[in-house]
DNA sequence: AATCCCCGCAACCGCACACTC
DNA sequence: AGAGTGTGCGGTTGCGGGGAT
């Protein structure tokens, strides 16, 4: 069959619209309605194809278009609808008055998708990514953070726990993926070029330090004690919750400032921070998931999902003793090569 | 001040589907 | 039934602005 594109006809203008063209289009539609889009350009005195006119009208000139930044509520709506509908932009747009599918699509591609990826979520499935590459950025962020923090701060203690778990997780993954021996004299990169054997040794050393500081292992009991989620388990008295729980995801995505207290100065002053450690999904080497009542560091079970501390979306801005909205997101610590891999 | 680079967004493109003749 | 048309949708492109160097 085959059908020539509507804009193939010679002489039809393409590209950005001028104010004069906009004016013509608006005036014509206000007077006559759009009717047949194919016929409209001639009738309106425009040297454009009908398709171009329709797009210009629906995405830009329509009087009920809402312009400007997306609100947090809109952002949450998009996230939720996308998790249900996928890339059905027009369907999503129908739930957001004044927003066009094109606008939502652009917002998704330029903001929300990146946010999800950087948080370790698969933007298509809205589930945590369990591959090593996706979890590494968080590990690096956590390691960088706790190096700067007051070790007596409650939130920092929690963070330290997450870091140690993350280190262990990363080590396990690394040891699984690399075929090189742990020889500190070689200091060679692993197959991904992301870490050296010397770094591995350093990590092991820092974990040994943790065991020499049992104070770091005393955690508050007032944390979320809901252990009903599938896949949850208690670790050292800390109730856990799957990171991909929808409410948690939305909470993490929408809150500004972020719930993770990456501002070291703010954390030093914080005595009210209440957070929760997300779950450590235990995946055996055979790929089977486990709900583990307690974490056994010596077991062959590999923790492959990413631990994170998250706060309450609504109270985080006030309960951190003045945590600023310029708190750091983890990507500040990311290696370029990792970001390239993630994108 | 000039140039480069990145990012966001408007617009384009191709495809699919419904409908008409 | 099949060709042609109109419209909508989702993916992609490329321009322009702004920040970095």
């Amino acid at each position: 069959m085959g059908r020539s594109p509507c804009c193939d006809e010679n002489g039809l203008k393409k590209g950005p619209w001028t104010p004069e063209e906009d004016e013509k289009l608006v005036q014509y539609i206000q007077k006559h309605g759009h009717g047949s889009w194919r016929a409209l350009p001639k009738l309106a005195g425009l040297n454009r194809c009908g398709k171009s006119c329709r797009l210009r009208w629906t995405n830009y000139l329509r009087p009920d278009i809402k312009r400007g930044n997306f609100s947090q509520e809109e952002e949450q709506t998009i996230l939720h609808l996308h998790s249900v509908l996928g890339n059905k932009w027009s369907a999503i747009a129908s739930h957001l008055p004044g927003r066009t599918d094109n606008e939502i699509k652009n917002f998704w591609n330029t903001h929300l998708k990146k946010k999800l990826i950087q948080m370790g979520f698969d933007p298509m499935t809205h589930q945590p990514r369990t591959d090593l590459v996706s979890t590494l950025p968080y590990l690096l962020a956590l390691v960088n953070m706790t190096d700067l923090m007051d070790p007596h701060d409650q939130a920092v203690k929690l963070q330290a726990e997450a870091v140690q778990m993350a280190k262990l997780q990363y080590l396990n993954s690394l040891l699984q993926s690399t075929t090189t021996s742990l020889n500190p004299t070689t200091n060679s990169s692993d197959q991904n070029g992301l870490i050296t054997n010397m770094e591995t040794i350093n990590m092991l050393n820092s974990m040994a330090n943790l065991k020499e500081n049992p104070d770091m292992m005393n955690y508050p009991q007032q944390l979320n004690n809901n252990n009903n989620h599938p896949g949850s388990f208690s670790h050292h008295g800390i109730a856990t919750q799957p990171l991909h729980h929808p409410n948690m995801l939305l909470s993490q995505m929408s809150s500004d400032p972020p719930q993770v207290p990456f501002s070291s100065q703010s954390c030093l002053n914080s005595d009210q921070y209440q957070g929760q450690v997300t779950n450590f999904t235990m995946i055996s080497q055979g790929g089977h998931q486990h709900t583990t009542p307690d974490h056994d560091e010596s077991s062959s079970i590999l923790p492959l999902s990413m631990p994170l501390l998250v706060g309450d979306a609504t109270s985080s801005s006030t309960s951190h003793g003045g945590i600023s909205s310029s708190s750091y997101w983890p990507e500040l610590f990311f290696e370029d090569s990792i970001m390239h891999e993630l994108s």
Side-chain angles (χ1 to χ4, degrees), chain A residues 132-190:
Chain A
L132 175 61
V133 170
S134 71
T135 59
L136 181 59
Y138 278 98
L139 174 66
L140 295 175
L142 290 167
V143 169
N144 276 305
M145 282 184 331
T146 51
D147 285 348
L148 303 170
M149 293 174 177
D150 177 359
H152 300 296
D153 187 278
Q154 188 170 298
V156 178
K157 289 177 183 178
L158 286 167
Q159 204 78 49
E161 163 76 352
V163 168
Q164 296 307 324
M165 291 293 286
K167 284 179 177 177
L168 180 72
Q169 163 188 332
Y170 185 38
L171 273 174
N172 272 327
S173 301
L174 179 67
L175 293 171
Q176 288 297 310
S177 63
T178 184
T179 55
T180 58
S181 65
L182 284 176
N183 179 358
T185 61
T186 60
N187 204 26
S188 62
S189 293
D190 73 355

Short mmCIF file of all heavy atoms in Angstrom, two decimals, chain A residues 132-190:
data_model
loop_
_atom_site.label_atom_id
_atom_site.label_comp_id
_atom_site.label_asym_id
_atom_site.label_seq_id
_atom_site.Cartn_x
_atom_site.Cartn_y
_atom_site.Cartn_z
N LEU A 132 24.97 -5.65 39.48
CA LEU A 132 26.05 -4.99 40.19
C LEU A 132 26.21 -3.54 39.78
O LEU A 132 26.37 -2.64 40.60
CB LEU A 132 27.35 -5.74 39.94
CG LEU A 132 28.61 -5.11 40.52
CD1 LEU A 132 28.50 -5.02 42.03
CD2 LEU A 132 29.83 -5.90 40.10
N VAL A 133 26.14 -3.30 38.49
CA VAL A 133 26.39 -1.95 37.98
C VAL A 133 25.40 -0.96 38.57
O VAL A 133 25.75 0.16 38.93
CB VAL A 133 26.30 -1.94 36.44
CG1 VAL A 133 26.31 -0.52 35.92
CG2 VAL A 133 27.48 -2.71 35.87
N SER A 134 24.15 -1.41 38.73
CA SER A 134 23.13 -0.48 39.20
C SER A 134 23.29 -0.17 40.68
O SER A 134 22.89 0.87 41.16
CB SER A 134 21.73 -1.02 38.94
OG SER A 134 21.47 -2.10 39.80
N THR A 135 23.83 -1.11 41.45
CA THR A 135 23.92 -0.89 42.88
C THR A 135 25.21 -0.19 43.27
O THR A 135 25.28 0.43 44.32
CB THR A 135 23.86 -2.22 43.64
OG1 THR A 135 24.94 -3.04 43.21
CG2 THR A 135 22.54 -2.92 43.39
N LEU A 136 26.18 -0.25 42.43
CA LEU A 136 27.48 0.34 42.76
C LEU A 136 27.42 1.82 43.10
O LEU A 136 28.04 2.26 44.07
CB LEU A 136 28.46 0.09 41.61
CG LEU A 136 29.87 0.62 41.84
CD1 LEU A 136 30.47 0.00 43.09
CD2 LEU A 136 30.74 0.34 40.64
N PRO A 137 26.68 2.62 42.36
CA PRO A 137 26.64 4.04 42.68
C PRO A 137 26.19 4.32 44.10
O PRO A 137 26.72 5.20 44.77
CB PRO A 137 25.64 4.61 41.68
CG PRO A 137 25.71 3.68 40.52
CD PRO A 137 25.96 2.33 41.11
N TYR A 138 25.23 3.57 44.60
CA TYR A 138 24.77 3.77 45.95
C TYR A 138 25.83 3.40 46.95
O TYR A 138 26.01 4.05 47.97
CB TYR A 138 23.49 2.97 46.21
CG TYR A 138 22.32 3.70 45.71
CD1 TYR A 138 21.77 3.39 44.48
CD2 TYR A 138 21.79 4.77 46.44
CE1 TYR A 138 20.71 4.10 44.00
CE2 TYR A 138 20.72 5.48 45.96
CZ TYR A 138 20.18 5.14 44.74
OH TYR A 138 19.13 5.84 44.27
N LEU A 139 26.51 2.35 46.65
CA LEU A 139 27.58 1.95 47.55
C LEU A 139 28.61 3.07 47.64
O LEU A 139 29.02 3.45 48.74
CB LEU A 139 28.24 0.68 47.01
CG LEU A 139 29.47 0.25 47.79
CD1 LEU A 139 29.07 -0.16 49.19
CD2 LEU A 139 30.18 -0.88 47.09
N LEU A 140 29.00 3.57 46.51
CA LEU A 140 30.01 4.63 46.50
C LEU A 140 29.50 5.85 47.25
O LEU A 140 30.24 6.48 48.01
CB LEU A 140 30.36 5.01 45.06
CG LEU A 140 31.04 3.90 44.27
CD1 LEU A 140 31.22 4.34 42.82
CD2 LEU A 140 32.37 3.52 44.88
N ALA A 141 28.22 6.16 47.07
CA ALA A 141 27.65 7.31 47.74
C ALA A 141 27.66 7.12 49.25
O ALA A 141 28.04 8.00 50.02
CB ALA A 141 26.22 7.56 47.25
N LEU A 142 27.25 5.95 49.67
CA LEU A 142 27.19 5.68 51.10
C LEU A 142 28.57 5.69 51.73
O LEU A 142 28.77 6.23 52.81
CB LEU A 142 26.52 4.31 51.33
CG LEU A 142 25.04 4.25 51.03
CD1 LEU A 142 24.57 2.81 50.99
CD2 LEU A 142 24.26 5.03 52.08
N VAL A 143 29.51 5.11 51.04
CA VAL A 143 30.87 5.09 51.56
C VAL A 143 31.38 6.51 51.71
O VAL A 143 31.96 6.90 52.72
CB VAL A 143 31.79 4.28 50.63
CG1 VAL A 143 33.24 4.48 51.02
CG2 VAL A 143 31.43 2.80 50.71
N ASN A 144 31.14 7.34 50.72
CA ASN A 144 31.59 8.73 50.77
C ASN A 144 30.92 9.47 51.90
O ASN A 144 31.54 10.27 52.59
CB ASN A 144 31.28 9.43 49.45
CG ASN A 144 32.35 9.17 48.43
OD1 ASN A 144 33.53 9.43 48.67
ND2 ASN A 144 31.96 8.63 47.30
N MET A 145 29.63 9.21 52.10
CA MET A 145 28.89 9.93 53.12
C MET A 145 29.41 9.66 54.50
O MET A 145 29.72 10.56 55.26
CB MET A 145 27.43 9.49 53.11
CG MET A 145 26.63 10.09 52.02
SD MET A 145 24.94 9.62 52.18
CE MET A 145 25.00 8.06 52.96
N THR A 146 29.51 8.39 54.85
CA THR A 146 29.80 8.05 56.24
C THR A 146 31.21 8.41 56.61
O THR A 146 31.52 8.57 57.78
CB THR A 146 29.58 6.55 56.48
OG1 THR A 146 30.27 5.83 55.47
CG2 THR A 146 28.10 6.24 56.40
N ASP A 147 32.06 8.58 55.64
CA ASP A 147 33.42 9.02 55.94
C ASP A 147 33.41 10.41 56.56
O ASP A 147 34.36 10.81 57.24
CB ASP A 147 34.26 9.04 54.66
CG ASP A 147 34.64 7.63 54.25
OD1 ASP A 147 34.44 6.70 55.07
OD2 ASP A 147 35.09 7.46 53.12
N LEU A 148 32.33 11.18 56.30
CA LEU A 148 32.29 12.57 56.74
C LEU A 148 31.47 12.77 58.00
O LEU A 148 31.38 13.88 58.52
CB LEU A 148 31.69 13.44 55.62
CG LEU A 148 32.39 13.38 54.27
CD1 LEU A 148 31.54 14.08 53.23
CD2 LEU A 148 33.76 14.01 54.37
N MET A 149 30.87 11.71 58.51
CA MET A 149 29.84 11.92 59.51
C MET A 149 30.32 11.68 60.94
O MET A 149 31.32 11.02 61.20
CB MET A 149 28.66 10.98 59.22
CG MET A 149 27.95 11.33 57.94
SD MET A 149 26.70 10.10 57.58
CE MET A 149 25.98 10.78 56.11
N ASP A 150 29.52 12.20 61.86
CA ASP A 150 29.75 11.99 63.28
C ASP A 150 29.34 10.57 63.64
O ASP A 150 28.16 10.22 63.54
CB ASP A 150 28.90 13.01 64.06
CG ASP A 150 29.05 12.81 65.56
OD1 ASP A 150 29.77 11.88 65.99
OD2 ASP A 150 28.43 13.60 66.30
N PRO A 151 30.28 9.76 64.12
CA PRO A 151 29.97 8.35 64.37
C PRO A 151 29.01 8.15 65.53
O PRO A 151 28.50 7.06 65.71
CB PRO A 151 31.35 7.75 64.66
CG PRO A 151 32.19 8.88 65.10
CD PRO A 151 31.67 10.09 64.37
N HIS A 152 28.74 9.19 66.34
CA HIS A 152 27.83 9.02 67.47
C HIS A 152 26.40 9.40 67.12
O HIS A 152 25.50 9.22 67.91
CB HIS A 152 28.31 9.85 68.66
CG HIS A 152 29.67 9.46 69.11
ND1 HIS A 152 29.95 8.21 69.62
CD2 HIS A 152 30.85 10.12 69.06
CE1 HIS A 152 31.25 8.13 69.91
NE2 HIS A 152 31.82 9.28 69.56
N ASP A 153 26.23 9.96 65.96
CA ASP A 153 24.89 10.35 65.55
C ASP A 153 24.08 9.11 65.20
O ASP A 153 24.54 8.19 64.54
CB ASP A 153 24.96 11.29 64.36
CG ASP A 153 23.60 11.85 64.01
OD1 ASP A 153 22.83 11.14 63.31
OD2 ASP A 153 23.30 12.97 64.42
N GLN A 154 22.82 9.12 65.67
CA GLN A 154 21.96 7.96 65.45
C GLN A 154 21.77 7.64 63.99
O GLN A 154 21.85 6.49 63.57
CB GLN A 154 20.61 8.26 66.11
CG GLN A 154 19.67 7.08 66.15
CD GLN A 154 18.48 7.43 67.02
OE1 GLN A 154 18.64 7.69 68.21
NE2 GLN A 154 17.33 7.47 66.45
N ALA A 155 21.52 8.68 63.22
CA ALA A 155 21.31 8.46 61.79
C ALA A 155 22.57 7.91 61.15
O ALA A 155 22.53 7.07 60.25
CB ALA A 155 20.90 9.77 61.12
N VAL A 156 23.69 8.41 61.64
CA VAL A 156 24.95 7.95 61.07
C VAL A 156 25.19 6.49 61.39
O VAL A 156 25.73 5.73 60.59
CB VAL A 156 26.10 8.83 61.60
CG1 VAL A 156 27.43 8.33 61.07
CG2 VAL A 156 25.87 10.26 61.18
N LYS A 157 24.76 6.10 62.57
CA LYS A 157 24.90 4.68 62.93
C LYS A 157 24.13 3.81 61.95
O LYS A 157 24.61 2.77 61.50
CB LYS A 157 24.40 4.45 64.36
CG LYS A 157 25.32 5.05 65.43
CD LYS A 157 24.71 4.83 66.80
CE LYS A 157 25.56 5.49 67.88
NZ LYS A 157 24.98 5.32 69.21
N LEU A 158 22.92 4.27 61.67
CA LEU A 158 22.12 3.52 60.71
C LEU A 158 22.80 3.49 59.36
O LEU A 158 22.87 2.47 58.68
CB LEU A 158 20.74 4.18 60.57
CG LEU A 158 19.79 3.97 61.74
CD1 LEU A 158 18.61 4.92 61.60
CD2 LEU A 158 19.33 2.55 61.79
N GLN A 159 23.31 4.64 59.01
CA GLN A 159 23.97 4.74 57.72
C GLN A 159 25.17 3.79 57.68
O GLN A 159 25.43 3.13 56.69
CB GLN A 159 24.44 6.19 57.52
CG GLN A 159 24.62 6.57 56.09
CD GLN A 159 23.27 6.84 55.44
OE1 GLN A 159 22.45 7.56 55.98
NE2 GLN A 159 23.03 6.26 54.30
N ALA A 160 25.89 3.77 58.79
CA ALA A 160 27.08 2.93 58.84
C ALA A 160 26.72 1.47 58.66
O ALA A 160 27.43 0.72 57.98
CB ALA A 160 27.80 3.15 60.17
N GLU A 161 25.59 1.10 59.25
CA GLU A 161 25.14 -0.28 59.07
C GLU A 161 24.89 -0.57 57.61
O GLU A 161 25.31 -1.59 57.07
CB GLU A 161 23.86 -0.50 59.89
CG GLU A 161 23.05 -1.72 59.49
CD GLU A 161 23.66 -3.02 60.00
OE1 GLU A 161 24.79 -2.99 60.53
OE2 GLU A 161 23.01 -4.06 59.87
N ALA A 162 24.19 0.36 56.99
CA ALA A 162 23.88 0.16 55.56
C ALA A 162 25.15 0.08 54.74
O ALA A 162 25.27 -0.72 53.82
CB ALA A 162 23.00 1.30 55.06
N VAL A 163 26.10 0.92 55.11
CA VAL A 163 27.36 0.93 54.36
C VAL A 163 28.07 -0.40 54.51
O VAL A 163 28.57 -0.97 53.54
CB VAL A 163 28.27 2.08 54.83
CG1 VAL A 163 29.66 1.91 54.28
CG2 VAL A 163 27.68 3.40 54.39
N GLN A 164 28.10 -0.90 55.73
CA GLN A 164 28.80 -2.16 55.93
C GLN A 164 28.12 -3.28 55.17
O GLN A 164 28.77 -4.13 54.57
CB GLN A 164 28.86 -2.49 57.43
CG GLN A 164 29.66 -1.50 58.25
CD GLN A 164 31.06 -1.26 57.70
OE1 GLN A 164 31.69 -2.18 57.20
NE2 GLN A 164 31.53 -0.03 57.76
N MET A 165 26.80 -3.24 55.19
CA MET A 165 26.07 -4.25 54.43
C MET A 165 26.35 -4.10 52.94
O MET A 165 26.53 -5.06 52.21
CB MET A 165 24.57 -4.14 54.70
CG MET A 165 24.17 -4.53 56.11
SD MET A 165 24.41 -6.28 56.42
CE MET A 165 23.03 -6.96 55.50
N ALA A 166 26.39 -2.84 52.53
CA ALA A 166 26.63 -2.58 51.12
C ALA A 166 28.02 -3.04 50.71
O ALA A 166 28.22 -3.62 49.64
CB ALA A 166 26.47 -1.09 50.83
N LYS A 167 28.96 -2.76 51.59
CA LYS A 167 30.32 -3.19 51.27
C LYS A 167 30.37 -4.71 51.13
O LYS A 167 31.00 -5.24 50.22
CB LYS A 167 31.27 -2.73 52.38
CG LYS A 167 31.61 -1.24 52.34
CD LYS A 167 32.53 -0.89 53.49
CE LYS A 167 32.94 0.57 53.42
NZ LYS A 167 33.79 0.96 54.57
N LEU A 168 29.72 -5.35 52.07
CA LEU A 168 29.71 -6.80 52.02
C LEU A 168 29.06 -7.28 50.73
O LEU A 168 29.56 -8.20 50.05
CB LEU A 168 28.94 -7.35 53.22
CG LEU A 168 28.86 -8.88 53.27
CD1 LEU A 168 30.24 -9.45 53.62
CD2 LEU A 168 27.84 -9.34 54.27
N GLN A 169 27.95 -6.64 50.43
CA GLN A 169 27.24 -7.00 49.21
C GLN A 169 28.12 -6.83 47.99
O GLN A 169 28.22 -7.69 47.13
CB GLN A 169 26.01 -6.11 49.09
CG GLN A 169 25.40 -6.08 47.71
CD GLN A 169 24.32 -5.02 47.65
OE1 GLN A 169 23.70 -4.71 48.64
NE2 GLN A 169 24.08 -4.48 46.50
N TYR A 170 28.77 -5.70 47.98
CA TYR A 170 29.61 -5.40 46.82
C TYR A 170 30.77 -6.39 46.73
O TYR A 170 31.12 -6.87 45.67
CB TYR A 170 30.10 -3.97 46.92
CG TYR A 170 30.87 -3.52 45.72
CD1 TYR A 170 30.49 -3.93 44.44
CD2 TYR A 170 31.96 -2.69 45.85
CE1 TYR A 170 31.18 -3.51 43.33
CE2 TYR A 170 32.66 -2.26 44.74
CZ TYR A 170 32.26 -2.68 43.48
OH TYR A 170 32.94 -2.26 42.38
N LEU A 171 31.34 -6.66 47.90
CA LEU A 171 32.44 -7.61 47.91
C LEU A 171 32.01 -8.97 47.40
O LEU A 171 32.69 -9.60 46.60
CB LEU A 171 32.97 -7.76 49.35
CG LEU A 171 34.01 -6.75 49.78
CD1 LEU A 171 34.32 -6.93 51.25
CD2 LEU A 171 35.27 -6.93 48.95
N ASN A 172 30.85 -9.39 47.90
CA ASN A 172 30.35 -10.68 47.45
C ASN A 172 30.17 -10.70 45.94
O ASN A 172 30.57 -11.64 45.26
CB ASN A 172 29.00 -10.98 48.12
CG ASN A 172 29.17 -11.67 49.45
OD1 ASN A 172 30.11 -12.44 49.63
ND2 ASN A 172 28.30 -11.38 50.38
N SER A 173 29.57 -9.62 45.45
CA SER A 173 29.35 -9.55 44.01
C SER A 173 30.66 -9.53 43.26
O SER A 173 30.83 -10.19 42.24
CB SER A 173 28.55 -8.29 43.68
OG SER A 173 27.33 -8.30 44.34
N LEU A 174 31.56 -8.75 43.82
CA LEU A 174 32.86 -8.62 43.16
C LEU A 174 33.58 -9.96 43.12
O LEU A 174 34.12 -10.38 42.10
CB LEU A 174 33.70 -7.60 43.92
CG LEU A 174 35.09 -7.36 43.38
CD1 LEU A 174 34.99 -6.69 42.01
CD2 LEU A 174 35.89 -6.50 44.33
N LEU A 175 33.55 -10.62 44.27
CA LEU A 175 34.26 -11.89 44.34
C LEU A 175 33.63 -12.92 43.42
O LEU A 175 34.29 -13.84 42.94
CB LEU A 175 34.27 -12.41 45.79
CG LEU A 175 35.11 -11.56 46.74
CD1 LEU A 175 34.90 -12.01 48.18
CD2 LEU A 175 36.58 -11.64 46.35
N GLN A 176 32.33 -12.76 43.20
CA GLN A 176 31.66 -13.66 42.27
C GLN A 176 32.03 -13.36 40.83
O GLN A 176 32.14 -14.24 40.00
CB GLN A 176 30.14 -13.54 42.43
CG GLN A 176 29.59 -14.14 43.70
CD GLN A 176 29.83 -15.63 43.78
OE1 GLN A 176 29.53 -16.34 42.83
NE2 GLN A 176 30.41 -16.09 44.87
N SER A 177 32.20 -12.08 40.54
CA SER A 177 32.33 -11.69 39.14
C SER A 177 33.76 -11.69 38.65
O SER A 177 34.03 -11.82 37.47
CB SER A 177 31.71 -10.31 38.92
OG SER A 177 32.44 -9.37 39.67
N THR A 178 34.68 -11.50 39.55
CA THR A 178 36.06 -11.39 39.09
C THR A 178 36.77 -12.72 39.14
O THR A 178 36.52 -13.55 40.00
CB THR A 178 36.84 -10.36 39.92
OG1 THR A 178 38.13 -10.23 39.36
CG2 THR A 178 36.94 -10.76 41.37
N THR A 179 37.65 -12.92 38.25
CA THR A 179 38.40 -14.16 38.23
C THR A 179 39.82 -13.95 38.71
O THR A 179 40.60 -14.87 38.82
CB THR A 179 38.47 -14.73 36.81
OG1 THR A 179 39.00 -13.73 35.95
CG2 THR A 179 37.10 -15.13 36.32
N THR A 180 40.15 -12.69 39.00
CA THR A 180 41.50 -12.41 39.44
C THR A 180 41.65 -12.73 40.91
O THR A 180 40.69 -12.71 41.67
CB THR A 180 41.85 -10.93 39.23
OG1 THR A 180 40.88 -10.15 39.95
CG2 THR A 180 41.79 -10.58 37.76
N SER A 181 42.82 -13.01 41.35
CA SER A 181 43.06 -13.36 42.74
C SER A 181 43.18 -12.10 43.58
O SER A 181 43.46 -11.02 43.08
CB SER A 181 44.33 -14.18 42.86
OG SER A 181 45.43 -13.36 42.49
N LEU A 182 42.96 -12.25 44.86
CA LEU A 182 43.05 -11.13 45.78
C LEU A 182 44.49 -10.93 46.20
O LEU A 182 44.86 -11.14 47.34
CB LEU A 182 42.16 -11.38 47.01
CG LEU A 182 40.68 -11.20 46.79
CD1 LEU A 182 39.93 -11.59 48.05
CD2 LEU A 182 40.36 -9.79 46.39
N ASN A 183 45.27 -10.47 45.29
CA ASN A 183 46.66 -10.23 45.59
C ASN A 183 46.92 -8.72 45.67
O ASN A 183 46.86 -8.03 44.67
CB ASN A 183 47.53 -10.84 44.47
CG ASN A 183 49.00 -10.60 44.71
OD1 ASN A 183 49.38 -9.94 45.69
ND2 ASN A 183 49.82 -11.13 43.83
N PRO A 184 47.17 -8.20 46.88
CA PRO A 184 47.29 -6.75 47.04
C PRO A 184 48.46 -6.16 46.26
O PRO A 184 48.50 -4.96 46.04
CB PRO A 184 47.49 -6.56 48.55
CG PRO A 184 47.84 -7.89 49.08
CD PRO A 184 47.31 -8.92 48.15
N THR A 185 49.36 -6.96 45.83
CA THR A 185 50.50 -6.39 45.13
C THR A 185 50.18 -6.11 43.67
O THR A 185 50.83 -5.30 43.03
CB THR A 185 51.71 -7.33 45.18
OG1 THR A 185 51.33 -8.56 44.55
CG2 THR A 185 52.13 -7.58 46.61
N THR A 186 49.17 -6.78 43.14
CA THR A 186 48.88 -6.58 41.73
C THR A 186 48.07 -5.32 41.50
O THR A 186 48.28 -4.60 40.53
CB THR A 186 48.08 -7.75 41.15
OG1 THR A 186 46.86 -7.86 41.86
CG2 THR A 186 48.87 -9.04 41.24
N ASN A 187 47.10 -5.05 42.43
CA ASN A 187 46.30 -3.84 42.33
C ASN A 187 45.65 -3.69 40.95
O ASN A 187 45.51 -2.60 40.41
CB ASN A 187 47.17 -2.61 42.61
CG ASN A 187 46.31 -1.47 43.09
OD1 ASN A 187 45.25 -1.70 43.66
ND2 ASN A 187 46.76 -0.24 42.89
N SER A 188 45.26 -4.79 40.40
CA SER A 188 44.71 -4.73 39.05
C SER A 188 43.22 -4.49 39.06
O SER A 188 42.53 -4.77 40.04
CB SER A 188 44.99 -6.05 38.33
OG SER A 188 44.35 -7.10 39.02
N SER A 189 42.72 -3.93 37.99
CA SER A 189 41.29 -3.68 37.89
C SER A 189 40.55 -4.97 37.60
O SER A 189 41.09 -5.89 37.00
CB SER A 189 41.01 -2.69 36.76
OG SER A 189 41.53 -1.44 37.09
N ASP A 190 39.31 -5.01 38.04
CA ASP A 190 38.50 -6.17 37.70
C ASP A 190 38.00 -6.02 36.29
O ASP A 190 38.33 -5.08 35.57
CB ASP A 190 37.34 -6.33 38.71
CG ASP A 190 36.27 -5.30 38.51
OD1 ASP A 190 36.46 -4.41 37.65
OD2 ASP A 190 35.26 -5.38 39.18
#
